[in-house]
């Protein structure tokens, strides 16, 4: 298929529709049209995929494998078209046929294999690696059900299964011939073969891992990398027929179900031992399947494994894939007959670890008992790693058992995954300067003292191709008309835009693009919720996972306070304000779920009050996803990034919003600090405690939220509103939140920072009303966002961690 103009494209498309569906063009459905178009785009990517694979084979360049439990790539269709350079032609051709490309793109089911920033970061990295010509691939699980679909019913989050694969996935290619086998349970028997000790793994359950490959298309460079997703199956595809013939139906199906369960759900509920076991199984499944296939490929190419670290870099995304370390050891020793020293040397030069959070609940540890039963050979290897770690620490810190044990992998009946990841990796990085500092100085201080050279920082980034070029075509074309299209390959050149701050017509166009994006979002909100919003007013946007440390609660209390001050006549400025929230709460996280209900209740009260109706609206948009983010972000005026300082490792929503001209209202946390370095205090609104202040407040134990509440009348009024019948819900509905804020002493310092937050928010209104000033702030944010492109981040990883060239 060679397509060079809209007419060719139109003909090929109509032809494809007819030959696939046997229908006249007029009779085809929206889904038929999506399928036909996607199959054309897929065909174009496959050609480049083949040549990329051939070229990487020929050149012997170092390949990067990004192991992650999560990837949130978003929809592929339009992004692939942009990257292949055929979007404009296709859009024109479709228009001639009366088809809106954006409309049919909605037919694509969105891969929901992720919860938040961590999964989206993986997808941004894949995009940047492909676009920079780095041979970098993703490795994950093909979860049949991704994260739940969120509905908001009567203000509550309701979770529904997300069967994203129900009607197939046109982008994937199943590779049954590349299947591998993964073992669980059983026991290990040492034996001697030709005088050498070997470990025989007997009586284990075997699961077949089948890869599905998704092409990741680089931007106009003919590079196509791979996101490989593994699906679990029983080793023989059918059930056990002998049991079936004896009438034991349930037993006959059991092993099939058990095997398939591994790739059924992302993050099964792990409050039960069974749930925990399944999670550990998933982690080992991912790691073992991924590494076996990498090593097989490497051997096919080089015929040896002693050069593995020269040709392969494995990046482990948080601790979920940390079993890469003992599994690589197992393969090198048990299957390739390498000695411990050599295998360890290769492993630690191949694997690197990224930490994404300091929240204690995310620092994984497994019961040693469960670990040993499920992964007996891996357990033996971990025991030996622990033994060697202990010897090393005893040598360094003789007799200092407390200090030593803080670094142990095995202790108190548990396996500590972060300690394993640090000890077994070549490099360890955090995801923003402040976060990497906290890792070195607090969380992993002991290790950083042993291995100072191992710790580094790689500030996160986002792909400007999805979050600007694709999501905001109006802004993208204004930028291109001003500075040319060089910024798409070189995002730092967005800086050139600053020269236009004195160009009245450019600035007017910039404001017009934002207005148009807001009008588009307002239309969407109107049709999705029936609520009318005013695109002339301020759009405040707080979109991310719902978590107490991200303080959606503070925004909600801020709205309550503003609303009351308006109806009391304390605020007379009636600049329209729309507050937009979106995000999912973990199903078992009751405080986060109450926060969603609170936002919905505030929305019910505010949106139905005629006294503020013309100018104040609150919305919680359900089912946050990459595509919903792409809708909201271009329309944001104010980006709420208000986590308790020190808690947000980096944040990446802050970067996406900044790049689209939103001004940040934030705390000095995560990458906000680096955004501040770029744009300065005059182009963002910073408030509240900084990380050092927060940490010293915690360690001094001097904070009492009750005292603050009793002292500050305004604060008391707002907190009381939760439970005094002001909101249209039962009075005890938000008792949980009140308890968190007062009796549990406000762990995330929402009340402590509240006065500063209010002040910062109040300062936004006059700044927004000064249109020239606001548009200039917006321009500076866009122009200086290039540093936060994931292209830069990936160049950093390539240079410092993977030691490869990127152009
Ligand atoms: C996020 N982590 C961080 N974790 O919160 C964010 O600051 C950072 O920018 C981002 O990683 C990328 O580095 C994150 O998204 C999760 O989603 C957890 C995964 C495991 C279950 C609990 C949530």
């Amino acid at each position: 298929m060679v397509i060079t103009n809209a007419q060719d494209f139109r003909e090929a498309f109509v032809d494809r529709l007819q030959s696939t569906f046997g229908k006249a063009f007029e009779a085809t459905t929206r889904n038929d049209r999506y399928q036909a178009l996607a199959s054309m785009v897929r065909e174009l990517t496959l050609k480049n995929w083949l040549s990329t694979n051939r070229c990487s084979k020929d050149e012997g360049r170092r390949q990067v494998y990004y192991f992650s439990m999560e990837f949130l790539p978003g929809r592929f269709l339009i992004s692939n078209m942009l990257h292949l350079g055929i979007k404009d032609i296709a859009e024109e051709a479709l228009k001639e046929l009366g088809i809106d490309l954006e409309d049919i793109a909605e037919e694509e089911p969105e891969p929901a294999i992720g919860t938040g920033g961590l999964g989206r970061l993986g997808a941004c990295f894949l995009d940047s690696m492909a676009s920079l010509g780095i041979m970098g691939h993703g490795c994950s699980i093909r979860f049949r059900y991704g994260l739940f679909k969120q509905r908001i019913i009567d203000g509550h989050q309701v979770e529904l299964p997300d069967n994203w694969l129900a009607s197939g996935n046109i982008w994937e290619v199943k590779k049954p011939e590349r299947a591998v086998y993964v073992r669980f349970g059983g026991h290990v028997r040492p034996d001697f073969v030709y005088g050498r000790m070997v470990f025989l793994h007997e009586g284990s359950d075997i699961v077949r891992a089948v890869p599905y490959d998704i092409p990741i298309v680089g931007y106009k460079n003919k590079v196509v990398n791979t996101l490989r997703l593994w699906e679990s199956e029983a080793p023989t595809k059918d059930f056990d027929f002998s049991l079936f013939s004896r009438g034991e139906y349930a037993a006959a199906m059991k092993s099939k179900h058990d095997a398939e369960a591994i790739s059924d759900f992302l993050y099964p509920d792990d409050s039960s031992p069974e749930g925990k076991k399944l999670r550990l199984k998933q982690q080992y499944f991912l790691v073992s399947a991924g590494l076996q296939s990498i090593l097989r490929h490497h051997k096919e190419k080089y015929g040896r494994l002693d050069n593995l670290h020269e040709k392969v870099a494995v990046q482990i995304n948080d601790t979920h894939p940390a079993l890469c370390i003992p599994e690589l050891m197992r393969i090198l020793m048990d299957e390739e007959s390498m000695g411990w020293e050599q295998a360890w040397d290769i492993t630690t030069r191949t694997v690197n670890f990224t930490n994404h959070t300091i929240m204690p609940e995310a620092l994984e540890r497994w019961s040693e008992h469960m670990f040993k039963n499920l992964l007996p050979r891996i357990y033996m290897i971990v025991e030996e790693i622990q033994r060697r770690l202990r010897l090393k620490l005893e040598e360094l810190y003789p007799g200092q058992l407390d200090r030593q044990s803080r670094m142990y992998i095995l202790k108190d009946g548990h396996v500590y995954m972060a300690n394993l990841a640090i000890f077994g990796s070549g490099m360890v990085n955090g995801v923003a300067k402040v976060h990497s500092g906290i890792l070195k100085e607090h969380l992993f201080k002991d290790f950083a003292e042993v291995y100072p050279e191992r710790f580094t920082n790689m500030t996160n980034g986002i792909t400007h191709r999805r979050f600007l070029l694709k999501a905001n075509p109006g802004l993208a074309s204004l930028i291109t008309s001003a500075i040319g299209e060089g910024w798409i390959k070189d995002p730092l050149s967005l800086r050139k835009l600053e020269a236009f701050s004195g160009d009245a017509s450019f600035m007017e166009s910039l404001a017009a693009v934002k207005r148009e994006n807001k009008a588009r979002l307002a239309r969407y909100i109107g049709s999705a919720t029936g609520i009318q919003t005013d695109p002339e007013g301020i759009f405040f946007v707080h979109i991310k996972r719902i978590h107490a440390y991200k303080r959606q609660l503070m925004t909600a209390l801020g709205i309550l306070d503003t609303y009351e001050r308006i109806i009391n006549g304390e605020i007379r400025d009636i600049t329209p304000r729309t507050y937009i929230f979106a995000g999912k709460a973990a199903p078992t996280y009751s405080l986060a779920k109450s926060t969603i209900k609170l936002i919905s209740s505030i929305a019910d009260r505010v949106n139905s009050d005629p006294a503020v109706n013309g100018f104040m609206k609150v919305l919680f948009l359900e089912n946050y996803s990459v595509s919903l983010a792409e809708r909201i972000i271009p329309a944001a005026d104010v980006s709420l990034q208000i986590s308790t300082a020190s808690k947000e490792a980096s944040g990446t929503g802050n970067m996406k919003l900044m790049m689209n001209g939103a001004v940040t209202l934030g705390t000095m946390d995560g990458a906000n600090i680096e955004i501040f370095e770029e744009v300065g205090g005059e182009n963002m609104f910073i408030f509240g405690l900084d990380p050092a202040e927060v940490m010293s407040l915690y360690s001094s134990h001097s904070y009492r939220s009750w005292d603050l509440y009793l002292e500050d009348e305004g604060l008391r009024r707002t907190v009381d509103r939760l439970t005094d019948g002001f909101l249209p819900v039962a009075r005890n509905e938000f008792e949980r939140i009140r308890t968190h804020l007062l009796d549990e002493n406000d762990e995330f310092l929402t009340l402590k920072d509240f006065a500063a937050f209010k002040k910062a928010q109040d300062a936004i209104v006059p700044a927004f009303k000064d249109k020239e000033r606001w548009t200039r702030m917006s321009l500076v944010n866009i122009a200086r966002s290039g540093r936060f492109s994931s292209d830069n981040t990936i160049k950093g990883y390539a240079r410092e961690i993977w030691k490869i060239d990127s152009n």
Side-chain angles (χ1 to χ4, degrees):
M1 188 172 46
V2 182
I3 290 169
T4 49
N5 58 47
Q7 194 187 335
D8 289 353
F9 196 96
R10 196 180 63 224
E11 281 163 16
F13 176 67
V14 171
D15 202 51
R16 179 66 56 102
L17 266 174
Q18 281 168 2
S19 60
T20 314
F21 299 103
K23 293 181 191 168
F25 172 72
E26 296 69 28
T28 52
T29 64
R30 192 169 90 146
N31 191 264
D32 295 340
R33 293 169 182 183
Y34 163 71
Q35 297 290 347
L37 183 58
S39 75
M40 287 168 68
V41 175
R42 181 186 140 137
E43 222 168 275
L44 293 169
T45 65
L46 290 184
K47 262 201 343 230
N48 290 343
W49 207 2
L50 199 69
S51 53
T52 304
N53 286 338
R54 283 215 185 104
C55 143
S56 76
K57 270 203 166 104
D58 298 343
E59 292 174 15
R61 290 157 62 184
R62 195 174 194 200
Q63 309 263 324
V64 177
Y65 296 92
Y66 195 82
F67 276 69
S68 179
M69 217 37 149
E70 306 188 10
F71 280 97
L72 281 174
R75 293 189 172 120
F76 285 104
L77 179 65
I78 295 183
S79 170
N80 284 351
M81 292 167 95
L82 272 167
H83 287 212
L84 291 165
I86 57 167
K87 183 186 166 227
D88 290 345
I89 290 177
E91 206 163 21
E92 191 188 327
L94 293 169
K95 213 169 183 177
E96 286 165 11
L97 291 164
I99 299 172
D100 175 17
L101 173 59
E102 298 274 347
D103 179 56
I104 56 172
E106 299 273 310
E107 283 291 317
E108 179 171 341
E110 188 168 330
I113 35 180
T115 23
L118 178 142
R120 180 55 231 177
L121 184 77
C124 284
F125 282 4
L126 293 184
D127 181 281
S128 286
M129 288 192 287
S131 298
L132 292 171
I134 291 173
M135 305 292 132
H137 313 285
C139 188
S140 192
I141 296 180
R142 182 177 181 267
F143 291 107
R144 244 182 297 277
Y145 294 92
L147 193 68
F148 62 89
K149 259 206 172 98
Q150 181 196 53
R151 291 279 166 267
I152 303 296
I153 300 179
D154 190 23
H156 293 282
Q157 168 172 298
V158 173
E159 297 107 28
L160 301 172
D162 184 7
N163 192 357
W164 70 286
L165 287 166
S167 46
N169 173 10
I170 194 150
W171 304 110
E172 67 186 13
V173 179
K174 184 175 182 177
K175 305 254 174 79
E177 74 285 2
R178 307 298 284 173
V180 297
Y181 294 88
V182 181
R183 289 164 183 274
F184 296 97
H187 54 270
V188 177
R189 186 167 61 82
D191 202 353
F192 282 89
V193 173
Y194 300 117
R196 189 175 177 276
M197 175 119 104
V198 294
F199 294 90
L200 303 172
H201 197 164
E202 295 171 335
S204 49
D205 294 328
I206 297 179
V207 172
R208 193 168 120 100
V210 183
Y212 288 70
D213 288 352
I214 297 179
I216 303 294
V217 184
Y219 183 76
K220 293 188 182 170
N221 64 355
K222 296 200 161 31
V223 171
V224 180
N225 288 337
T226 301
L227 168 58
R228 174 161 279 192
L229 303 180
W230 293 93
E231 184 175 68
S232 60
E233 284 182 355
T236 51
K237 279 208 73 174
D238 294 320
F239 48 82
D240 184 334
F241 202 80
S242 59
L243 287 171
F244 183 75
S245 327
R246 296 203 301 272
E248 294 176 35
Y249 306 120
M253 298 307 286
K254 187 170 178 316
S255 71
K256 179 171 152 65
H257 283 160
D258 285 355
E260 288 172 3
I262 296 174
S263 56
D264 265 347
F265 299 98
L266 169 70
Y267 301 133
D269 175 14
D270 69 348
S271 49
S272 68
E274 273 311 298
K276 287 199 171 69
K277 187 169 158 192
L278 183 52
R279 274 208 199 186
L280 181 58
K281 253 185 163 172
Q282 291 179 334
Q283 298 189 354
Y284 184 63
F285 174 77
L286 161 64
V287 153
S288 180
L291 285 174
Q292 287 185 58
S293 93
I294 293 168
L295 266 64
R296 179 176 56 196
H297 179 257
H298 180 89
K299 266 182 88 173
E300 283 167 4
K301 182 159 183 200
Y302 299 101
R304 50 190 259 239
L305 281 166
D306 59 347
N307 63 346
L308 184 76
H309 54 285
E310 287 162 17
K311 303 293 176 191
V312 167
V314 167
Q315 193 68 34
I316 54 180
N317 198 24
D318 228 293
T319 52
H320 320 137
L323 292 173
C324 271
I325 293 157
E327 174 64 2
L328 184 50
M329 291 294 289
R330 182 193 69 79
I331 302 176
L332 294 176
M333 294 187 305
D334 294 4
E335 292 177 14
E336 302 296 333
S337 310
M338 247 179 224
W340 182 279
E341 312 295 345
Q342 189 185 10
W344 186 249
D345 183 56
I346 291 177
T347 299
T348 52
R349 293 165 80 173
T350 303
V351 178
N352 304 291
F353 164 52
T354 307
N355 168 280
H356 294 266
T357 184
I358 61 160
M359 300 303 285
E361 71 262 26
L363 291 175
E364 290 188 298
R365 46 173 224 175
W366 302 110
S367 128
E368 220 173 313
H369 176 74
M370 173 181 85
F371 192 103
K372 184 176 180 174
N373 282 332
L374 189 66
L375 309 170
R377 178 61 185 138
I378 292 299
Y379 178 75
M380 286 172 76
I381 293 170
V382 172
E383 267 187 318
E384 178 59 16
I385 297 174
Q386 160 68 22
R387 193 184 70 79
R388 289 170 182 249
L389 169 64
R390 201 165 47 72
L391 287 177
K392 180 175 174 70
L393 295 176
E394 180 54 30
E395 203 180 292
L396 284 172
Y397 309 114
Q400 297 182 41
L401 290 186
D402 269 1
R403 181 182 200 154
Q404 291 184 22
S405 72
R406 289 199 294 267
M407 288 174 265
Y408 285 174
I409 298 163
L410 297 177
K411 59 182 168 186
D412 349 306
H414 288 93
V415 186
Y416 285 78
M417 300 301 276
N419 290 353
L420 172 65
I422 297 170
F423 187 53
S425 291
M427 297 289 279
V428 176
N429 73 286
V431 291
K433 282 187 203 164
V434 65
H435 169 63
S436 299
I438 292 173
L439 295 187
K440 263 180 101 154
E441 282 141 39
H442 298 273
L443 197 64
F444 302 141
K445 183 168 189 282
D446 299 298
F447 271 118
E449 277 167 20
V450 181
Y451 300 111
E453 71 299 339
R454 201 173 278 194
F455 284 79
T456 184
N457 173 57
M458 288 293 144
T459 298
N460 282 164
I462 54 152
T463 165
H464 58 289
R465 284 169 291 272
R466 180 166 289 266
F467 289 103
L468 177 49
L469 181 64
K470 171 178 182 295
N472 197 343
L475 180 57
S477 66
L478 178 65
I479 294 174
T480 300
S481 71
I483 61 170
E485 59 178 20
W487 64 275
I488 305 173
K489 291 204 174 208
D490 173 22
L492 288 173
S493 67
L494 285 169
R495 273 265 177 180
K496 292 185 196 155
L497 286 171
E498 278 187 60
F500 291 81
S501 69
D503 177 333
S505 112
F506 177 86
M507 295 303 272
E508 182 37 51
S509 307
L510 184 60
V513 165
K514 181 63 84 180
R515 242 187 344 265
E516 177 43 42
N517 289 340
K518 287 161 74 178
R520 185 153 17 93
L521 180 62
R523 285 195 294 278
Y524 170 78
I525 290 174
S527 68
T529 67
I531 295 171
Q532 298 312 313
T533 49
D534 184 347
E536 292 303 320
I538 311 176
F539 277 22
F540 290 90
V541 166
H542 200 160
I543 49 174
K544 52 184 77 249
R545 276 188 295 137
I546 311 292
H547 198 294
Y549 85 79
K550 296 179 185 275
R551 299 201 292 197
Q552 283 91 355
L553 180 53
M554 186 145 79
T555 308
L557 295 178
I559 298 170
L560 255 186
D561 168 77
T562 304
Y563 168 61
E564 267 217 278
R565 286 194 285 152
I566 290 175
I567 55 179
N568 290 342
E570 289 167 51
I571 296 181
R572 291 180 191 282
D573 189 311
I574 55 161
T575 304
R577 304 143 210 239
T578 298
Y579 299 88
I580 299 167
F581 294 86
K584 294 180 182 178
T588 51
Y589 191 179
S590 66
L591 181 62
K593 291 173 112 174
S594 293
T595 306
I596 294 180
K597 175 67 182 168
L598 174 63
I599 294 165
S600 307
S601 304
I602 295 173
D604 288 345
R605 166 93 207 225
V606 170
N607 297 348
S608 64
D609 183 347
V612 296
N613 221 333
F615 59 91
M616 194 171 175
K617 290 286 159 58
V618 181
L619 295 143
F620 191 99
L621 299 179
E622 62 185 8
N623 206 34
Y624 189 47
S625 59
V626 177
S627 23
L628 185 56
E630 288 175 37
R631 261 185 209 285
I632 299 172
I633 289 169
D637 293 308
V638 178
S639 158
L640 280 135
Q641 308 298 337
I642 59 173
S643 50
T644 316
S646 78
K647 300 288 182 190
E648 187 70 274
S650 156
T652 46
N654 46 5
M655 304 168 181
K656 294 163 200 164
L657 283 150
M658 166 200 197
M659 190 174 271
N660 282 271
V663 176
T664 305
L665 166 56
T667 45
M668 276 300 208
D669 196 19
N672 291 356
I673 299 174
E674 287 161 74
I675 294 178
F676 181 84
E677 281 172 15
E678 285 297 301
V679 304
E682 58 294 5
N683 294 303
M684 71 194 290
F685 295 84
I686 290 290
F687 71 95
L689 299 179
D690 67 22
E693 288 166 333
V694 166
M695 287 198 276
S696 87
L697 194 63
Y698 282 141
S699 57
S700 68
H701 300 285
S702 59
Y703 175 55
R704 302 273 175 281
S705 61
W706 262 110
D707 293 351
L708 204 62
Y709 166 83
L710 292 172
E711 277 159 25
D712 181 338
E713 198 188 326
L715 179 68
R716 195 159 65 244
R717 177 178 72 184
T718 305
V719 174
D720 286 350
R721 289 306 185 221
L722 298 176
T723 48
D724 67 0
F726 185 76
L727 294 170
V729 285
R731 281 171 186 251
N732 63 357
E733 179 75 51
F734 301 122
E735 228 13 276
R736 174 75 195 82
I737 296 180
R738 192 181 162 89
T739 304
H740 165 77
L741 290 174
L742 296 175
D743 301 336
E744 293 170 3
N745 204 29
D746 183 20
E747 184 183 351
F748 297 105
L749 308 174
T750 303
L751 302 186
K752 177 80 185 160
D753 273 343
F754 193 62
F757 174 61
K758 266 170 65 171
K759 207 166 143 208
Q761 215 186 12
D762 287 350
I764 286 178
V765 181
F768 180 80
K769 282 164 66 178
D770 180 347
K771 291 288 170 219
E772 272 183 30
R773 172 177 170 207
W774 191 266
T775 310
R776 220 176 318 113
M777 288 170 85
S778 181
L779 177 71
V780 170
N781 274 276
I782 300 165
R784 302 191 190 166
S785 67
R787 162 170 166 198
F788 301 105
S789 162
S790 43
D791 287 9
N792 288 336
T793 314
I794 285 299
K795 283 181 185 170
Y797 276 89
R799 195 175 51 239
E800 261 195 62
I801 299 184
W802 305 326
K803 314 262 184 325
I804 51 180
D805 293 336
S806 63
N807 35 34

